[in-house]
Amino acid sequence: MRGYKLVYDVDQNKKCVYNQYGTPYELNREYELSGELKYSKNGFHFSIYPEETLRFRDRSNGLLASNFTIVEIEADGKIECGDDYIENEKFDTIGVYASSRMTVLRILPREEVFNIILNSKNPLRMRKYIMFVKLTTEEIDLVKEYYNDFCTLGYIGYYQHNDEKAFEKAYTRTLAY
């Protein structure tokens, strides 16, 4: 099963990535879980949607991420879906899994992550991305072009411009940014 994983560091040769605990994962090498797979406790966690991975990042440097690294992975072995766990409801996540085996296939450039979400033509997915990533001016312009609905425009105003009245302005089409 293909998916995406947020990583916290990449070595200078871009051949190894590190999770939030500093555990290294070499690209194109399979890793097997030690112990029993248990979603949210023990497993290689990933999502089938790249924007969902951003929920699990360290927010100590602010709400919106400017620099982040998402990798494409191949999950194998036993796989559990996090959507089935009640404790996960507080995160409002979808498409999040844990597996007993994982191979990190490649590091995705930011532009590719953005284009995957943009080209999904799914405004809910784009709104989640807007909530977690500091968009560039060019990205904002593309989002406005693709998703010209008042709710998505409100998300841009609220999360990207810190405008508390953004949704009202978007609804009345009086946004000035």
Side-chain angles (χ1 to χ4, degrees), residues 6-8 50-51 53-70 110 113-114 128-136 139-140 159-160 162:
L6 180 70
V7 295
Y8 287 78
E51 67 276 12
T53 66
L54 294 165
R55 293 182 165 279
F56 304 102
R57 70 178 182 77
D58 177 11
R59 295 187 189 175
S60 61
N61 292 329
L63 181 62
L64 298 178
S66 297
N67 297 314
F68 57 89
T69 303
I70 295 175
R110 177 186 167 131
V113 172
F114 177 76
K128 283 188 178 186
Y129 191 71
I130 292 167
M131 287 172 53
F132 295 119
V133 175
K134 181 64 179 164
L135 301 179
T136 66
E139 290 170 336
I140 289 173
Y159 290 100
Q160 301 296 314
N162 297 315

Side-chain angles (χ1 to χ4, degrees), residues 6-136:
L6 180 70
V7 295
Y8 287 78
D9 200 9
V10 179
D11 77 346
Q12 60 185 358
N13 298 320
K14 296 191 176 187
K15 295 189 187 273
C16 187
V17 298
Y18 300 85
N19 70 7
Q20 70 268 36
Y21 307 111
T23 306
Y25 297 104
E26 293 176 31
L27 272 62
N28 300 307
R29 179 176 168 201
E30 185 177 78
Y31 291 87
E32 185 142 4
L33 183 66
S34 70
E36 183 182 347
L37 175 66
K38 176 76 174 150
Y39 182 84
S40 83
K41 303 285 184 207
N42 193 31
F44 299 110
H45 293 82
F46 67 97
S47 178
I48 57 173
Y49 304 110
E51 67 276 12
E52 288 294 337
T53 66
L54 294 165
R55 293 182 165 279
F56 304 102
R57 70 178 182 77
D58 177 11
R59 295 187 189 175
S60 61
N61 292 329
L63 181 62
L64 298 178
S66 297
N67 297 314
F68 57 89
T69 303
I70 295 175
V71 295
E72 183 177 25
I73 63 107
E74 180 71 34
D76 211 353
K78 187 175 178 187
I79 297 174
E80 290 188 359
C81 180
D83 297 351
D84 298 335
Y85 288 80
I86 293 173
E87 67 184 336
N88 198 43
E89 287 180 15
K90 65 183 174 194
F91 293 117
D92 187 30
T93 57
I94 55 169
V96 180
Y97 298 83
S99 68
S100 62
R101 287 198 307 264
M102 175 189 75
T103 303
V104 176
L105 302 174
R106 65 190 183 101
I107 299 168
L108 295 174
R110 177 186 167 131
E111 299 80 23
E112 185 175 351
V113 172
F114 177 76
N115 285 325
I116 288 169
I117 299 162
L118 185 71
N119 293 324
S120 75
K121 296 186 170 51
N122 182 328
L124 297 175
R125 290 183 62 191
M126 181 52 72
R127 290 175 200 150
K128 283 188 178 186
Y129 191 71
I130 292 167
M131 287 172 53
F132 295 119
V133 175
K134 181 64 179 164
L135 301 179
T136 66

